């Protein structure tokens, strides 16, 4: 570490001494950049009669200019580079069948190029061939090009280079050639039948039979591909609906659980047996069913009650009830009732009372959770409403300012 610091200090001292000597030495000349390398800008201190001025001065020196003789050589060199540059994919300017590359500058030279043509119906200013125009010149057509070369640093220095190119229709492959002849025959027929209601397509060209048909329509494949996708989407929708129905069922059953426990507690406290209390709850539900609607927990109790009437033991009916409900609370209720049958009724009312209290607490907690979920779902509509309020308030304010 000490060695690095010492080396840095020595290097800094040497640079400071060198820079001090450099700044003390008068500057008597500034070397220009070579051609095409741009100007040079130097910042210099100004000392007049031994007194240094406060503000430094910037001196800009343009790049070196060509002499008239050098300029001629530059233009000659540019002209020599020009023809190979504009050929593009063509072998020579005597046979042009693809687009030319009419460059606007010469690489490596400070020369800009602009073009003028005498046949814009065959070639545009970018060197692109007009296929329709060239098709009308199967034997080739002569196009005169004028290239105006301008020195970038002095637009008054210009040179003119003229050249001629012979443009032919593009070479076509066998298939492209046949397609072109078919299209040409259709175009000729279309021109001749403008006054007719229909265009008669050719059935023979140059002694060769032609058959024109509609292309294959792939919509059948699309439908075939869409079918499985729709099936998957419907299966997913059905599964989602089943899951939603299951969640709604469980939510309703949990809402009814405290009420069922409370009824059990009251009926057992009034001296009824468990089976009689079960029967009473089911009968009350069936009398009020039209008014209250379908309640899944009571429906499962009704199923268990009918099982008891059909000869299934009371314990097995409670066990099946717990399994069908599938919720922990109802399985716990079935377990309490089963234990009551095995060990007697002592303490059952107290257990059901405690279960009822716990059920109400669980119901309050569930209601609180649903309230929080509803608040979260309302955030997006609230943001939209906030945006609308801001628009209603801010737009009139801006309009009043502009007025």
């Amino acid at each position: 570490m000490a060695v690095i610091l010492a080396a840095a200090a020595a290097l800094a001292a040497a640079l400071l001494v060198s820079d001090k000597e450099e700044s003390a030495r008068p500057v008597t000349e500034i070397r220009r950049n070579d051609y095409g390398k741009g100007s040079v800008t130097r910042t210099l201190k100004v000392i007049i009669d031994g007194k240094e001025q406060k503000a430094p001065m910037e001196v800009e020196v343009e790049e070196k200019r060509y002499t008239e003789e050098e300029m001629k050589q530059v233009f000659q060199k540019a002209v020599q580079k020009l023809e190979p540059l504009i050929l593009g994919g063509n072998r020579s300017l005597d046979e042009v069948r693809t687009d030319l590359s009419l460059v606007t500058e010469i690489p490596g030279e400070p020369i800009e190029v602009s073009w003028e043509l005498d046949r814009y119906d065959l070639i545009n200013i970018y060197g692109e061939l007009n296929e329709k125009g060239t098709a009308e010149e199967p034997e080739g057509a002569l196009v005169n090009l004028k290239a105006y070369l301008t020195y970038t640093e002095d637009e008054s220095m210009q040179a003119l280079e003229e050249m001629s190119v012979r443009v032919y229709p593009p070479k076509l492959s066998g298939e492209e050639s046949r397609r072109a002849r078919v299209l040409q025959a259709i175009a000729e027929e279309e021109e001749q039948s403008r006054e007719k209601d229909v265009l008669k397509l050719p059935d023979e060209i140059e002694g060769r039979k032609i058959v024109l048909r509609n292309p294959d329509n792939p919509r059948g494949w699309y439908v075939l591909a869409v079918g499985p996708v729709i099936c998957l989407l419907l299966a997913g929708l059905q599964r989602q609906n089943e899951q939603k129905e299951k969640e709604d069922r469980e939510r309703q059953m949990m809402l009814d659980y405290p009420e069922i426990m409370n009824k059990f507690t009251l009926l057992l406290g009034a001296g009824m047996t468990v089976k009689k209390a079960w029967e009473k709850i089911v009968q009350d539900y069936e009398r009020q069913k039209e008014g209250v609607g379908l309640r899944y927990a009571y429906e499962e109790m009704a199923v268990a009650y009918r099982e008891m009437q059909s000869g299934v033991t009371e314990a097995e009916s409670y066990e099946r009830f717990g399994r069908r409900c599938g919720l922990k609370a109802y399985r716990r209720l079935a377990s309490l009732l089963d234990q009551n049958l095995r060990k007697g009724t002592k303490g059952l009312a107290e257990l059901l009372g405690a279960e009822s209290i716990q059920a109400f607490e669980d119901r309050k907690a569930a209601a609180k959770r649903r309230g929080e979920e509803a608040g979260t779902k309302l955030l997006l509509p609230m943001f939209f409403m906030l945006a609308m309020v801001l628009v209603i308030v801010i737009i009139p304010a801006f309009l009043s300012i502009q007025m």
Side-chain angles (χ1 to χ4, degrees):
M1 185 67 72
V3 174
I4 294 174
L5 291 175
L11 179 59
L15 291 174
L16 289 171
V17 171
S18 175
D19 292 343
K20 188 68 175 177
E21 292 176 353
E22 182 68 22
S23 63
R25 187 181 303 116
V27 178
T28 58
E29 62 182 25
I30 299 176
R31 180 173 293 277
R32 296 179 185 275
N33 278 338
D34 290 335
Y35 312 109
K37 293 186 178 179
S39 60
V40 177
T41 302
R42 293 282 299 274
T43 302
L44 302 173
K45 293 189 295 184
V46 182
I47 301 173
I48 301 176
D49 292 334
K51 185 177 180 181
E52 182 178 340
Q53 305 300 304
K54 291 183 179 180
M57 178 177 62
E58 287 191 354
V59 179
E60 184 176 1
V61 182
E62 297 292 339
E63 66 180 28
K64 188 177 180 180
R65 281 189 178 180
Y66 293 102
T67 64
E68 186 174 345
E69 187 63 30
E70 289 173 334
M71 198 69 241
K72 290 180 180 179
Q73 295 177 2
V74 170
F75 281 132
Q76 290 175 0
K77 189 177 179 181
V79 169
Q80 292 174 358
K81 291 183 176 181
L82 192 59
E83 182 174 337
L85 286 174
I86 70 171
L87 276 175
N90 299 285
R91 289 181 294 180
S92 72
L93 297 180
D94 294 329
E95 185 181 354
V96 174
R97 294 184 181 273
T98 61
D99 294 344
L100 295 172
S101 177
L102 298 184
V103 296
T104 57
E105 57 184 20
I106 306 296
E109 303 292 342
I111 301 295
E112 293 180 348
V113 185
S114 58
W115 296 89
E116 184 179 315
L117 297 78
D118 66 345
R119 293 289 303 271
Y120 288 100
D121 59 324
L122 299 179
I123 307 178
N124 65 19
I125 197 65
Y126 304 106
E128 298 169 343
L129 299 187
N130 183 344
E131 291 186 6
K132 186 176 180 180
T134 56
E136 296 174 357
E137 302 285 351
E139 302 300 324
L142 200 64
V143 179
N144 296 314
L145 307 179
K146 290 183 180 180
Y148 294 92
L149 287 73
T150 305
Y151 179 44
T152 55
E153 299 300 325
D154 186 354
E155 295 184 357
S156 64
M157 295 183 177
Q158 291 185 333
L160 173 62
E161 176 66 16
E162 296 187 41
M163 59 185 72
S164 299
V165 299
R166 185 166 290 277
V167 178
Y168 292 87
K171 285 185 177 180
L172 303 177
S173 64
E175 182 178 349
E176 291 174 340
S177 178
R178 290 190 292 270
R179 285 167 51 87
R181 288 198 295 272
V182 172
L183 288 174
Q184 184 179 359
I186 293 174
E188 291 174 356
E189 181 65 27
E190 198 274 335
E191 185 66 29
Q192 296 173 5
S193 61
R194 286 286 180 88
E195 298 176 355
K196 297 180 180 179
D197 293 335
V198 296
L199 168 66
K200 184 174 177 57
L201 298 175
D203 57 3
E204 184 177 309
I205 295 177
E206 299 176 357
R208 305 180 68 177
K209 186 177 180 180
I210 299 296
V211 177
L212 299 175
R213 295 176 179 171
N214 292 319
D216 295 337
N217 195 329
R219 59 186 179 181
W221 294 105
Y222 296 155
V223 173
L224 185 63
V226 167
V229 174
I230 294 176
C231 291
L232 290 174
L233 293 176
L234 290 176
L237 180 62
Q238 182 179 359
R239 188 176 302 174
Q240 183 179 357
N241 291 337
E242 290 174 355
Q243 182 65 26
K244 187 176 183 302
E245 290 176 2
K246 181 181 178 182
E247 292 175 356
D248 292 342
R249 175 178 180 273
E250 292 177 352
R251 186 180 297 112
Q252 186 196 87
M253 293 179 74
M254 288 308 299
L255 287 174
D256 290 339
Y257 184 68
E259 181 181 339
I260 292 172
M261 294 303 302
N262 189 40
K263 288 181 179 179
F264 256 113
T265 303
L266 290 175
L267 292 174
L268 291 177
M272 285 188 177
T273 62
V274 172
K275 185 175 182 179
K276 283 292 182 181
W278 192 282
E279 180 182 355
K280 175 67 174 171
I281 293 173
V282 171
Q283 290 174 350
D284 289 346
Y285 165 69
E286 289 180 344
R287 282 196 304 270
Q288 301 171 3
K289 184 175 181 179
E290 292 185 2
V292 299
L294 180 68
R295 310 302 294 181
Y296 295 107
Y298 289 99
E299 289 291 331
E300 296 297 342
M301 290 183 69
V303 171
Y305 173 65
R306 286 192 287 272
E307 286 179 346
M308 295 178 199
Q309 289 181 323
S310 64
V312 179
T313 62
E314 190 175 347
E316 187 176 353
S317 298
Y318 295 149
E319 185 179 352
R320 291 181 180 181
F321 166 77
R323 286 200 302 268
R324 285 196 305 271
C325 290
L327 296 175
K328 184 177 179 181
Y330 285 93
R331 288 199 299 269
R332 189 165 56 244
L333 172 61
S335 177
L336 287 175
L337 297 180
D338 184 50
Q339 290 180 11
N340 169 67
L341 291 174
R342 297 175 186 276
K343 300 179 180 180
T345 59
K346 184 179 180 181
L348 179 62
E350 290 79 5
L351 291 174
L352 292 178
E355 183 68 19
S356 176
I357 294 172
Q358 182 61 40
F360 274 110
E361 293 297 326
D362 292 342
R363 181 172 178 175
K364 287 192 291 184
K368 185 177 179 181
R369 284 196 304 272
R370 287 197 297 274
E372 292 173 352
E373 292 173 0
T376 304
K377 292 178 180 177
L378 287 173
L379 283 177
L380 186 60
M382 289 173 63
F383 278 123
F384 280 123
M385 292 175 64
L386 176 61
M388 292 297 296
V389 171
L390 290 176
V391 169
I392 293 171
V393 172
I394 292 174
I395 289 180
F398 274 112
L399 292 177
S400 63
I401 292 173
Q402 291 174 0
M403 293 174 63

